[in-house]
Amino acid sequence: MFDIAVIGLGLVGSAALRHLALSDASVVGIGPGEPTDWSVNSGPFASHYDSGRVTRRLDARYEWAVLASRSIAQYPEIEAQSRLRFHRPGGFIFVRNDPIGIEQQQAVIERLDLPVVATTTDAVRDEFQDYEFPSQWTALYEPSPAGHIDPRVMVKAQLTVAHQLGASIHRKHVTTLQRTAGGFSIELSGGVAVQAARVLLATGAYLNDLAPEPLAAQVVPEAVILAAVSPAEATRLSYLPSMIYLLDHPIHDDVYIVPPVLYPDGVHYVKMGGSIGGVEPLATSAEKRTWMSGSDADDQIGWMRDVLLEVMPRATFEQFVMKPCLITDTPHGLPYIDEVADGLFVAVGGNGHAAKSSDAIGALGASLAINGTWTDPDLEALSFRAVFGEYEAPRDSRHGT
Ligand SMILES: Cc1cc2nc3c(=O)[nH]c(=O)nc-3n(C[C@H](O)[C@H](O)[C@H](O)COP(=O)(O)OP(=O)(O)OC[C@H]3O[C@@H](n4cnc5c(N)ncnc54)[C@H](O)[C@@H]3O)c2cc1C
């Protein structure tokens, strides 16, 4: 019988397990690793199966900026203890042309005194010659430690440290969760059962599979284009910061780029992600599986390659590969970190932002599961409250924050 079980060992769950393992509680983490062959995976997928994620403190939402700041401050310790490097502090640039969004970001920059330089795309053209942006747009530049992270390695690092600290880990998925007199009985794929007094759900896009009451959320398909570059070209482009660019496009809102990263297949890729305009949410696990295990993301290659070649016209790309992914949106645009039933807690709902901030989100989930009450001095519980029932979309675009 464990004191606390974490279900879902993605970015948030693995972080929560590390923070729980720092306490006196006996803890277990349960969640599958990345499938070797996505096309035949019968279990849940994840939103971190990639080697590049933008990391930044700059944000239009105070809460996201605080979560990112706290997490980035933890990166060196996690890297040192796990001996795994996942952070590349190469800087970050946000390119946009919408006064309201710029104002919102400026307000958070001032409130948190972030070292962000507000300038124009013309002014940064000389410094980042391999990026091409419209003239006279706003460019908000954030230096190191902003840059990018490798989410696959970050999950591994968190779990390595959690295990060093005494946490038990099962690389299986949970099929059923039942309340018992002493807490919960947790059935794993393969038939093993685990008992725990309390449970923290960190199941990402599968937030409603084990939740007692439906949480308001939408899971939307997102696509990534990976553009292969030679090792020499990867070195040449390595000076570039990661970036988000709010497009002036009739259908698609935004794209974000991570400069060349060496992927597990031994190839360096520039990675560009982008929100697919007008796409239908994925309501069932079967729909999520069809998107993640299939090739529907290939349909997005046209516009994504065009935008990438427009933004990086001087780069030499050798090949383009499309990858599917899942984004979990909540109505208030922040993760749910809350108790949804007696002894059952959630830390879910990344809204396309949680990779960089996953350590702080995991820490808040862990603290709530241990203490049973919200103890954070700066962030309000209300901001992260669980909302049940139907999903109502927030007004502004996801990456506009
Ligand atoms: C294309 C794309 C680009 C992105 N870019 C960025 C970026 O640049 N910067 C940024 O900060 N964020 C970015 N994000 C968002 C970020 O990746 C997510 O917010 C983050 O991965 C969410 O973490 P999570 O732990 O909630 O979910 P996940 O990382 O998906 O982990 C959830 C885990 O739960 C497991 N699980 C599900 N059901 C069960 C079950 N029944 N039993 C056991 N385990 C289960 C899953 O297998 C998975 O491992 C991006 C997301 C996408 C899709």
Side-chain angles (χ1 to χ4, degrees), residues 7-13 30-32 44-49 53-54 172-174 202-204 206 210 222 224 256 271 325-327 350 352-356:
I7 301 179
L9 295 179
L11 284 160
V12 171
I30 308 159
F45 287 86
S47 302
H48 67 265
Y49 299 158
R53 289 279 184 270
V54 171
K172 299 274 182 199
H173 70 271
V174 170
T203 46
Y206 300 83
L210 300 169
E222 185 110 331
V224 164
Y256 39 95
K271 170 242 167 126
C325 194
L326 301 167
I327 298 258
H353 296 310
K356 60 185 169 299

Side-chain angles (χ1 to χ4, degrees), residues 86-370:
F86 54 80
H87 180 211
R88 298 281 185 270
F92 164 74
I93 193 165
F94 202 124
V95 173
R96 61 192 311 165
N97 202 28
D98 54 325
I100 294 173
I102 296 164
E103 214 176 287
Q104 289 170 336
Q105 287 186 325
Q106 289 287 18
V108 174
I109 291 167
E110 278 147 35
R111 185 171 174 186
L112 292 173
D113 194 21
L114 296 176
V116 174
V117 180
T119 178
T120 68
T121 45
D122 302 277
V124 295
R125 181 169 292 120
D126 298 339
E127 198 171 347
F128 307 125
Q129 291 157 10
D130 284 284
Y131 280 150
E132 191 68 43
F133 300 120
S135 179
Q136 283 309 307
W137 279 37
T138 295
L140 296 154
Y141 177 71
E142 183 182 347
S144 167
H148 56 101
I149 54 172
D150 185 325
R152 284 183 174 116
V153 179
M154 192 175 189
V155 167
K156 196 172 171 196
Q158 294 278 27
L159 293 178
T160 300
V161 179
H163 190 60
Q164 285 166 358
L165 293 166
S168 301
I169 295 174
H170 292 278
R171 286 314 227 155
K172 299 274 182 199
H173 70 271
V174 170
T175 52
T176 55
L177 179 62
Q178 277 175 328
R179 188 172 287 283
T180 62
F184 298 89
S185 176
I186 306 166
E187 188 88 19
L188 280 54
S189 51
V192 177
V194 167
Q195 314 299 320
R198 291 180 172 192
V199 167
L200 175 65
L201 293 177
T203 46
Y206 300 83
L207 67 170
N208 276 325
D209 287 15
L210 300 169
E213 191 187 340
L215 292 157
Q218 70 163 8
V219 176
V220 283
E222 185 110 331
V224 164
I225 186 166
L226 298 178
V229 292
S230 68
E233 184 70 343
T235 305
R236 189 182 75 76
L237 295 171
S238 61
Y239 75 100
L240 287 174
S242 58
M243 66 87 139
I244 294 178
Y245 171 24
L246 300 193
L247 299 173
D248 184 8
H249 192 285
I251 301 170
H252 309 291
D253 284 345
D254 53 69
V255 294
Y256 39 95
I257 290 181
V258 172
V261 174
L262 184 61
Y263 273 61
D265 63 359
V267 178
H268 290 87
Y269 295 98
V270 168
K271 170 242 167 126
M272 186 184 88
S275 307
I276 309 170
V279 76
E280 283 304 312
L282 306 168
T284 65
S285 291
E287 287 173 6
K288 294 166 197 168
R289 183 168 302 114
T290 302
W291 171 253
M292 291 300 288
S293 62
S295 58
D296 292 348
D298 296 358
D299 300 344
Q300 303 301 319
I301 193 165
W303 76 271
M304 295 191 87
R305 186 176 46 206
D306 291 350
V307 170
L308 182 57
L309 294 176
E310 224 177 80
V311 174
M312 297 185 73
R314 286 170 283 281
T316 306
F317 297 126
E318 296 177 345
Q319 188 203 352
F320 298 98
V321 181
M322 295 302 296
K323 288 281 182 188
C325 194
L326 301 167
I327 298 258
T328 307
D329 289 331
T330 61
H332 50 48
L334 290 169
Y336 291 152
I337 308 172
D338 204 347
E339 185 169 15
V340 292
D342 188 23
L344 183 58
F345 304 86
V346 293
V348 289
N351 290 271
H353 296 310
K356 60 185 169 299
S357 307
S358 51
D359 190 73
I361 299 168
L364 287 168
S367 164
L368 194 58
I370 290 170

Side-chain angles (χ1 to χ4, degrees), residues 48-62:
H48 67 265
Y49 299 158
D50 202 336
S51 302
R53 289 279 184 270
V54 171
T55 190
R56 56 178 164 116
R57 293 170 288 179
L58 170 63
D59 208 289
R61 297 280 302 266
Y62 167 75

